[in-house]
Amino acid sequence: MRRALKQCAEKKPVVFHSDSMGEGSANLRTYYLATACNKIFVNPTGYVNVLGVTARGFFLRGLLDKIGVEPQFLARKEYKNAANVLTERKFTDAHRESTISILDSLLDHV
């Protein structure tokens, strides 16, 4: 839908109006849709609450150590970090860098 709005906005003015935007995290989609328009209007008594994006990592290495399981994986490069959930206790520098890159890419589209 956003792509269609964006294409239309390249040919004719497209205006987005809302009483408020951002009530809850699901409404980031509403804001994302609105960014395809030429102009965005929000009711003067409304509000815009656009939150950022976040990512949380979970790591099971501590649990595996407690139950005596030794994970063994081969990694081709440091940025191939899917196995880190089982082999690490926290983000490695490469894992953190790739996660931040993904989040930055998401924000670039909003």
Side-chain angles (χ1 to χ4, degrees):
M1 182 179 266
R2 185 180 187 280
R3 188 177 304 135
L5 274 174
K6 187 87 171 158
Q7 288 173 348
C8 188
E10 291 170 0
K11 298 173 184 160
K12 294 183 177 191
V14 176
V15 177
F16 183 91
H17 177 267
S18 179
D19 290 331
S20 293
M21 274 195 293
E23 302 92 353
S25 61
N27 282 321
L28 187 56
R29 284 178 262 165
T30 304
Y31 177 75
Y32 181 61
L33 187 65
T35 61
C37 300
N38 301 97
K39 293 202 181 261
I40 301 172
F41 292 96
V42 177
N43 189 334
T45 60
Y47 63 92
V48 177
N49 183 20
V50 179
L51 305 175
V53 295
T54 186
R56 292 185 184 177
F58 67 96
F59 300 92
L60 301 174
R61 181 59 192 261
L63 172 66
L64 295 177
D65 287 346
K66 286 181 182 178
I67 61 173
V69 174
E70 176 70 29
Q72 296 180 357
F73 292 92
L74 297 175
R76 200 167 163 200
K77 299 284 183 182
E78 67 273 15
Y79 291 96
K80 304 286 186 184
N81 49 40
N84 286 9
V85 172
L86 301 172
T87 61
E88 304 297 329
R89 297 182 192 287
K90 62 181 184 176
F91 280 103
T92 63
D93 290 340
H95 192 170
R96 179 176 286 105
E97 184 182 336
S98 64
T99 302
I100 289 170
S101 177
I102 290 168
L103 294 176
D104 288 344
S105 178
L106 285 171
L107 282 176
D108 286 345
H109 288 86
V110 174

